[in-house]
Amino acid sequence: MVKKPFRIGIAGLGTVGAGVVRVLQSNADLIAARTGRPIEIAAVCARERTRDRGVDLSIYSWVDNPLALTEIKDIDAVVELIGGAEGPARQLAEAALKRGCALVTANKALLAHHGYELAVLAEQQGAALMFEAAVAGGIPIIKYLREGLAANNIKAIHGILNGTCNYILTEMRETGRSFADVLKDAQKKGYAEADPTFDIEGVDAAHKLCVLSALAFGIRPDFEALNVTGISHISAKDISFARELGYKIKLLGIARRIDEKITQAVEPCLVPADSTIGAIEGVFNAVFVEGDFVGSSLAEGRGAGAGPTASAVVADLIDLARGFHILPFGVPARTLRQAVRGDAGDLLSRFYLHLVVKDRPGVLADIAAIMRDHNVSMEAVLQRGRDPDKPVSIVITSHPVRQADITRAVGQMASLAIMKEKPRLLRIERF
Ligand SMILES: NC(=O)c1ccc[n+]([C@@H]2O[C@H](COP(=O)([O-])OP(=O)(O)OC[C@H]3O[C@@H](n4cnc5c(N)ncnc54)[C@H](OP(=O)(O)O)[C@@H]3O)[C@@H](O)[C@H]2O)c1
């Protein structure tokens, strides 16, 4: 007996939405063979009906209001690809789940801010909430963590979660150009949005880390619990000094469990140039997971773009059409704990410190004295340029020190009259 089609409504026909339509059209036979039934688009929705989206939409019903998708008779799943933590995306997600309709979304902002409430609602209504596409695009990291590594106590996750930042940092390193220059180029090539704030200030990576932490540690996604620093302050000189010291600069998302406390941060870090994570270049993403039995494992792939993201959305639809879904965060949502925040100040790390100072005798001695007073011990010092009329760069790497101690030391240095720029302090991570 032929099973009836799995009927979906798609809201949002931008990069990802149009990509999903393309995958469903191009691979319709293969998908039907794998699910045992076709996936049928019942209706689509976006703001501008007449816009050319590079796919044939004439064969589908069109609705102007995303909420109308939830009212279509026999609809099996609603696919939310509008974006944003509030507004139409949130309204649609809630309306679909309230009706007991499965929701598939790629919206990490929505999940980072409202993932807990949506998961509770989904479970109350017996509806599926699927979000494979929300983190690391084409890398099936949600399934990997929630199902593949379900036997493990996860100790840490660290990863490159934003392709735009990784592209910018890679280009800066390879060409020696400035952040602003490379960003402009990335926007022209479509690797960065017209408004790149969420990407370059680390917010997008933080949204994703929230979702991964929830899955890994059984905690509620809580955006406010993260320390977030972006890459807009990284200079071509930092990249060049890092190279000289044998490192690359990467924007990392890092979540660690230490004594049941969880620290979560997104920040640019130095990683050894010859390390596995140092080799992840351009728009690629990578996620490292450390479990008590699996050890350290790595998933790498394209983190964004129409193809990889649509591939992940359709993977969720295939699961649903096969009749398969599990709880959104792998455990009953009500059992997700409010995370106890670890104190980042207690973390012991090596650091890179870049000071731009007026070149005069005794500068280094003053800086060394401040470091000594705060229990910070230096590993290496680089000084470039000798010109009493121009500021010079001093770069220091530290031995492992408490973050709180070095932060206080840098605060004191920043107030010295010889300091010509805000000191740049970056963590050195050797995973
Ligand atoms: N782009 C990626 O590589 C990527 C990767 C992973 C996850 N995601 C996530 O996927 C989601 C979609 O991203 P995207 O890049 O495809 O965004 P996008 O290109 O900006 O597309 C957004 C779509 O939503 C539609 N829309 C906006 N407001 C609407 C409203 N009130 N009613 C109906 N439709 C509305 C827009 O309609 P019009 O076209 O008519 O303006 C557009 O088609 C976001 O949550 C994003 O974070 C994106």
Side-chain angles (χ1 to χ4, degrees):
M1 193 182 69
V2 182
K3 281 198 196 160
K4 74 179 185 54
F6 185 81
R7 284 161 56 77
I8 65 167
I10 303 177
L13 296 166
T15 306
V16 184
V20 167
V21 174
R22 191 168 300 113
V23 174
L24 290 172
Q25 289 178 348
S26 306
N27 288 353
D29 292 345
L30 175 150
I31 291 167
R34 289 184 176 158
T35 58
R37 60 200 292 204
I39 294 179
E40 185 180 288
I41 301 175
V44 294
C45 169
R47 281 177 300 203
E48 275 191 44
R49 187 167 186 169
T50 53
R51 179 175 293 171
D52 179 7
R53 300 170 192 276
V55 283
D56 180 11
L57 298 170
S58 62
I59 43 181
Y60 311 125
S61 298
W62 177 278
V63 296
D64 288 318
N65 181 351
L67 296 183
L69 294 175
T70 65
E71 282 154 22
I72 295 171
K73 196 167 163 281
D74 294 339
I75 197 86
D76 292 301
V78 164
V79 185
E80 183 281 303
L81 301 170
I82 296 172
E86 307 296 338
R90 185 178 176 193
Q91 287 159 13
L92 176 61
E94 289 175 351
L97 294 174
K98 271 185 194 148
R99 285 181 163 256
C101 180
L103 178 78
V104 175
T105 180
N107 191 336
K108 52 258 180 180
L110 178 71
L111 292 161
H113 290 281
H114 306 296
Y116 172 68
E117 293 78 9
L118 291 175
V120 169
L121 180 59
E123 289 171 28
Q124 269 168 2
Q125 301 301 113
L129 167 59
M130 313 277 275
F131 45 85
E132 186 58 70
V135 183
I139 309 174
I141 190 66
I142 304 295
K143 209 173 246 253
Y144 185 61
L145 261 179
R146 188 179 53 196
E147 289 146 62
L149 299 182
N152 287 266
N153 211 334
I154 306 294
K155 293 190 273 188
I157 303 172
H158 62 269
I160 294 174
L161 298 171
N162 185 278
T164 305
C165 288
N166 207 44
Y167 171 81
I168 292 173
L169 293 170
T170 303
E171 280 292 299
M172 284 175 75
R173 184 171 194 270
E174 285 176 0
T175 63
R177 286 186 296 156
S178 72
F179 172 82
D181 197 18
V182 174
L183 172 61
K184 240 185 258 158
D185 195 36
Q187 284 170 315
K188 265 193 225 142
K189 288 186 172 146
Y191 293 152
E193 308 263 338
D195 177 359
T197 317
F198 264 30
D199 286 326
I200 62 173
E201 297 307 339
V203 177
D204 174 78
H207 286 152
K208 295 169 184 168
L209 189 65
C210 271
V211 176
L212 295 182
S213 293
L215 290 162
F217 306 125
I219 59 172
R220 296 180 190 185
D222 178 8
F223 184 73
E224 305 307 324
L226 273 81
N227 296 323
V228 184
T229 310
I231 62 164
S232 53
H233 62 300
I234 302 292
S235 70
K237 271 194 186 161
D238 289 314
I239 303 263
S240 155
F241 281 126
R243 180 203 294 268
E244 203 171 322
L245 292 161
Y247 296 102
K248 290 182 183 176
I249 299 179
K250 299 282 176 193
L251 182 72
L252 299 185
I254 306 174
R256 298 183 171 95
R257 184 213 299 263
I258 303 169
D259 300 332
E260 291 317 305
K261 291 187 181 163
I262 315 278
T263 57
Q264 301 176 73
V266 169
E267 58 187 322
C269 297
L270 272 69
V271 298
D274 59 359
S275 60
T276 311
I277 201 158
I280 310 295
E281 299 283 41
V283 293
F284 278 78
N285 280 194
V287 184
F288 292 76
V289 184
E290 222 183 298
D292 53 354
F293 283 89
V294 73
S296 181
S297 70
L298 159 73
E300 186 210 340
R302 289 183 190 279
T309 313
S311 154
V313 171
V314 176
D316 278 347
L317 291 172
I318 289 173
D319 267 355
L320 288 171
R322 283 170 167 160
F324 173 77
H325 77 268
I326 65 169
L327 297 172
F329 290 101
V331 294
R334 293 253 181 234
T335 68
L336 293 171
R337 290 170 293 110
Q338 190 73 54
V340 181
R341 282 175 81 161
D343 184 355
D346 284 338
L347 286 178
L348 272 189
S349 301
R350 292 185 161 81
F351 283 90
Y352 157 100
L353 175 61
H354 181 177
L355 305 168
V356 180
V357 298
K358 194 166 176 220
D359 193 12
R360 64 154 181 74
V363 171
L364 209 48
D366 292 348
I367 290 164
I370 293 175
M371 295 188 98
R372 183 202 58 220
D373 293 347
H374 291 87
N375 302 316
V376 177
S377 112
M378 292 192 250
E379 184 189 48
V381 181
L382 288 180
Q383 185 170 0
R384 289 290 171 268
R386 272 241 83 109
D387 186 342
D389 299 326
K390 280 195 191 149
V392 295
S393 285
I394 296 176
V395 168
I396 297 166
T397 58
S398 78
H399 286 295
V401 291
R402 280 183 73 243
Q403 179 170 324
D405 290 338
I406 195 160
T407 306
R408 268 195 288 272
V410 171
Q412 195 174 329
M413 287 175 208
S415 62
L416 294 176
I418 46 146
M419 208 57 65
K420 291 294 163 202
E421 286 179 18
K422 194 169 171 231
R424 285 195 286 286
L425 182 68
L426 302 178
R427 194 186 302 282
I428 300 176
E429 285 288 0
R430 292 181 184 158
F431 297 106

